Amino acid sequence: MATIITMPRLSDTMTEGTVATWLKKVGDKISEGDILAEIETDKATMEFESFNEGTLLHIGIPEGETAPVDSLLAIIGNEGEDISALLAGKPTTATPAETAPVATEATEAKKEESAAPAAVTSLPKGVVVVTMPRLSDTMTEGTVATWLKKVGDTVAEGDILAEIETDKATMEFESFNEGTLLYIGIQEGNTAPVDSLLAIIGPAGTDISGIAENYTTGGAPQAASVATEETKAVTAEKAAEPVETVSSDGKRILASPLAKKIASEKGIQLTQVKGSGENGRITKNDVENFTPQTAAAPTATTTAPAKAETAAAPKVFVPAGEVFTEEIKNSQMRKIIAKRLAESLFTAPHYNLVIEVTMDEAMKSRAIINSVPDTKVSFNDMVIKACAIALKKHPKINSQWREDAIIINHHVNIGVAVAVEDGLVVPVLRFTDAMSLSQIGGNVRDLAGRAKNKKLLPTEMEGSTFTVSNLGMFGITEFNSIINQPNSAILSVGAIVEKPVVKDGQIVVGNTMMLSLACDHRTIDGATGAQFLQTLKQYIENPVTMLA
């Protein structure tokens, strides 16, 4: 009985792998536990061992070649076994299977084919199925925000096909293939799981009937047949076409439907927005980043369609005493935030430790530091620096829980919580302990700015070992955060408050700040967390010690 071996997922972020070396060749005997090949992932080159025994009958990915996770890597079976049926029916990405009986079931399958429509086992020459990409390590589904190409358009390698909203950001998705866009499987505004059929690209005029209807992800159909969807496809093409407006000088202005929608909601006239897209096309980001000019709007008369295009949506008037509700569709980011935080709170036993820190010396030190030209350091930067040094002294805080072990991270990557329009993102300062205060300040400002403009890369939000969340700028004096998994702790930073304090037996005016440390009790005991806070307090109250 032949077994299909697929390209394994050897890391949490791996989407494809490269076969560095085959340690077995076709015809070799394989025992369970034998190393089949060395596979290069996005993080390391790792040995891949066999969980099956038999004879290596087929190698699907030669040395040096790269293929997506779950692609057919090899076939193991009995010596001399006929695997022609498996190879003839080999899809672009194989379906993982523990065992794949060949002889008797292949015969039965042929009988069934006469009574049922044939599944697509191979693609016409030059045709490529494009699937919903995994654009972040936590992404399980994506929403097509905007299609930048429509059915019938010519696509070159590197062209932007669509803007896809993930759980962390809205990102441009470029094509790795060239040809004609023959089919769109996920319409604008629709959400689908990773690996769902997104589009089909191939030579113009290619017959792709049957491909979409038979394409499956995890065994579930993801799209209806091309034939029955022909009318919908035509409608979708029209909907995906750029929206035209007319400027005061009669020139056409191109804008995507999503840009039009956002402009309408914000009351922005598209005639005032400069487009950054192809042929000056206005994109979603152009509208979101648009700053209205103080000058008066053009007085020239525009056509009726242009007025309708740029008119702001009227505010809803709700008479007193009437019940009124508004439904806002959850974004991908909001869905993932809800899922991750619920998982963290309900799986990790949280407890919180609170300490009050005197900020008088920190305020004096910050004033001196910021007196240096071109230097700008915030109190949050000082807290981050103090955390980085304290974590080196208390590595158990810099840990994560696994069922079989506690992982102690001896590198310090601090995540900084940043509030954005759709929720919260956590960009990461890698090797924070090696950064100076000014480097921390510059990096935090850069990451926070790009986070708010949705310009962060997924890799810039991965790999944190500890997290800092600051609501002091909103006047919040004390709060408790939910741990950002897989971290074991998160520090909540409150506002600096001027109040009476006792110093040397005298009541004087002082400045204090509350710090709250949320800990995972599976990895951090109360005494360990308390010792970390004591060290952190010492560094913040005496900033000069951070330079030692």
Side-chain angles (χ1 to χ4, degrees):
M1 303 257 283
T3 301
I4 291 179
I5 310 298
T6 59
M7 173 66 75
R9 187 185 299 275
L10 298 174
S11 79
D12 56 342
T13 58
M14 177 179 172
T15 57
E16 61 181 16
T18 301
V19 177
T21 311
W22 275 104
L23 302 181
K24 299 288 185 180
K25 62 182 182 295
V26 172
D28 281 358
K29 298 292 183 182
I30 307 295
S31 299
E32 186 174 345
D34 281 358
I35 305 301
L36 288 179
E38 293 179 342
I39 295 178
E40 182 181 348
T41 74
D42 55 333
K43 295 181 176 178
T45 299
M46 305 175 67
E47 294 180 339
F48 175 56
E49 67 180 58
S50 174
F51 299 99
N52 305 277
E53 56 183 25
T55 300
L56 182 57
L57 303 175
H58 176 75
I59 288 178
I61 306 171
E63 284 187 3
E65 291 195 7
T66 302
V69 167
D70 292 338
S71 297
L72 192 151
L73 178 66
I75 298 177
I76 295 175
N78 298 325
E79 187 175 359
E81 185 174 351
D82 181 14
I83 59 171
S84 57
L86 282 181
L87 295 177
K90 179 182 65 178
T92 304
T93 300
T95 302
E98 292 299 323
T99 58
V102 177
T104 58
E105 293 189 10
T107 306
E108 293 297 323
K110 289 181 180 179
K111 294 179 182 178
E112 293 175 5
E113 286 176 4
S114 60
V120 176
T121 58
S122 60
L123 298 173
K125 184 177 181 180
V127 171
V128 177
V129 171
V130 181
T131 59
M132 174 66 75
R134 187 187 303 276
L135 298 174
S136 79
D137 58 332
T138 57
M139 178 179 173
T140 57
E141 59 182 13
T143 300
V144 177
T146 313
W147 275 104
L148 303 182
K149 298 287 184 180
K150 61 181 184 293
V151 172
D153 281 358
T154 299
V155 178
E157 187 174 344
D159 281 358
I160 305 300
L161 286 179
E163 292 177 341
I164 295 177
E165 181 184 350
T166 74
D167 56 315
K168 294 182 176 177
T170 299
M171 305 176 65
E172 294 180 336
F173 175 54
E174 67 179 58
S175 175
F176 297 97
N177 305 279
E178 57 182 24
T180 299
L181 183 56
L182 303 174
Y183 179 79
I184 288 177
I186 305 169
Q187 303 303 326
E188 285 189 359
N190 288 354
T191 301
V194 168
D195 293 335
S196 298
L197 191 151
L198 180 66
I200 299 175
I201 296 175
T206 303
D207 180 15
I208 58 169
S209 58
I211 295 178
E213 67 179 349
N214 289 294
Y215 182 82
T216 62
T217 299
Q222 297 298 324
S225 66
V226 178
T228 58
E229 291 289 326
E230 186 173 351
T231 304
K232 292 183 181 180
V234 172
T235 305
E237 289 176 39
K238 292 181 179 178
E241 291 177 356
V243 180
E244 295 185 7
T245 61
V246 182
S247 63
S248 57
D249 57 3
K251 293 183 179 179
R252 292 186 304 171
I253 297 176
L254 300 178
S256 71
L258 188 59
K260 170 190 171 184
K261 178 182 177 183
I262 296 173
S264 176
E265 292 172 350
K266 294 187 175 183
I268 297 174
Q269 295 187 10
L270 291 179
T271 52
Q272 297 179 353
V273 181
K274 183 178 180 181
S276 61
E278 189 176 356
N279 297 321
R281 177 179 174 280
I282 298 172
T283 66
K284 173 180 69 69
N285 287 336
D286 296 330
V287 177
E288 289 181 337
N289 298 330
F290 173 70
T291 302
Q293 300 296 322
T294 55
T299 56
T301 304
T302 57
T303 63
K307 288 183 179 179
E309 186 77 42
T310 58
K315 293 183 178 180
V316 178
F317 173 72
V318 184
E322 288 193 12
V323 176
F324 175 73
T325 61
E326 182 181 6
E327 182 177 300
I328 300 175
K329 185 179 179 182
N330 290 329
S331 66
Q332 287 300 107
M333 180 181 291
R334 179 55 57 189
K335 290 178 184 177
I336 295 298
I337 288 174
K339 180 180 178 182
R340 300 299 182 202
L341 293 185
E343 287 176 351
S344 177
L345 187 61
F346 298 137
T347 59
H350 284 53
Y351 70 91
N352 293 278
L353 301 173
V354 180
I355 196 167
E356 189 173 26
V357 178
T358 301
M359 294 298 291
D360 296 318
E361 290 301 319
M363 294 172 72
K364 294 177 184 177
S365 297
R366 177 175 178 262
I368 295 172
I369 294 170
N370 285 345
S371 66
V372 177
D374 300 322
T375 302
K376 185 178 181 182
V377 171
S378 69
F379 290 114
N380 196 55
D381 300 333
M382 299 176 77
V383 171
I384 292 172
K385 177 65 175 178
C387 285
I389 302 174
L391 287 169
K392 296 294 284 188
K393 290 195 172 185
H394 302 276
K396 288 184 179 179
I397 306 296
N398 203 40
S399 62
Q400 63 188 72
W401 169 264
R402 289 185 184 171
E403 290 299 326
D404 58 340
I406 294 175
I407 307 302
I408 304 295
N409 296 299
H410 292 285
H411 60 284
V412 177
N413 292 346
I414 294 184
V416 182
V418 177
V420 296
E421 185 177 353
D422 294 331
L424 188 75
V425 295
V426 186
V428 179
L429 295 172
R430 296 185 179 278
F431 308 109
T432 320
D433 55 307
M435 293 183 178
S436 66
L437 275 171
S438 57
Q439 286 175 323
I440 289 173
N443 279 286
V444 169
R445 287 192 298 275
D446 172 61
L447 290 169
R450 288 191 289 119
K452 291 176 180 178
N453 292 326
K454 297 184 177 180
K455 296 293 186 182
L456 284 178
L457 299 174
T459 53
E460 294 176 308
M461 294 178 277
E462 299 171 357
S464 66
T465 59
F466 184 83
T467 307
V468 173
S469 180
N470 191 337
L471 291 178
M473 67 286 293
F474 299 107
I476 303 300
T477 56
E478 183 181 341
F479 67 103
N480 297 324
S481 299
I482 298 175
I483 298 170
N484 176 35
Q485 297 284 349
N487 300 173
S488 288
I490 181 171
L491 184 74
S492 304
V493 183
I496 298 175
V497 178
E498 187 178 49
K499 67 175 188 179
V501 297
V502 178
K503 187 174 183 180
D504 298 328
Q506 301 292 321
I507 298 177
V508 297
V509 176
N511 296 275
T512 65
M513 180 175 70
M514 301 300 292
L515 300 177
S516 176
L517 183 70
C519 302
D520 184 342
H521 217 321
R522 298 174 300 179
T523 53
I524 303 174
D525 295 327
T528 304
Q531 290 165 2
F532 169 78
L533 281 180
Q534 287 179 336
T535 302
L536 185 62
K537 174 182 170 75
Q538 292 171 2
Y539 282 131
I540 296 175
E541 290 185 340
N542 303 281
V544 68
T545 60
M546 288 192 282
L547 304 177

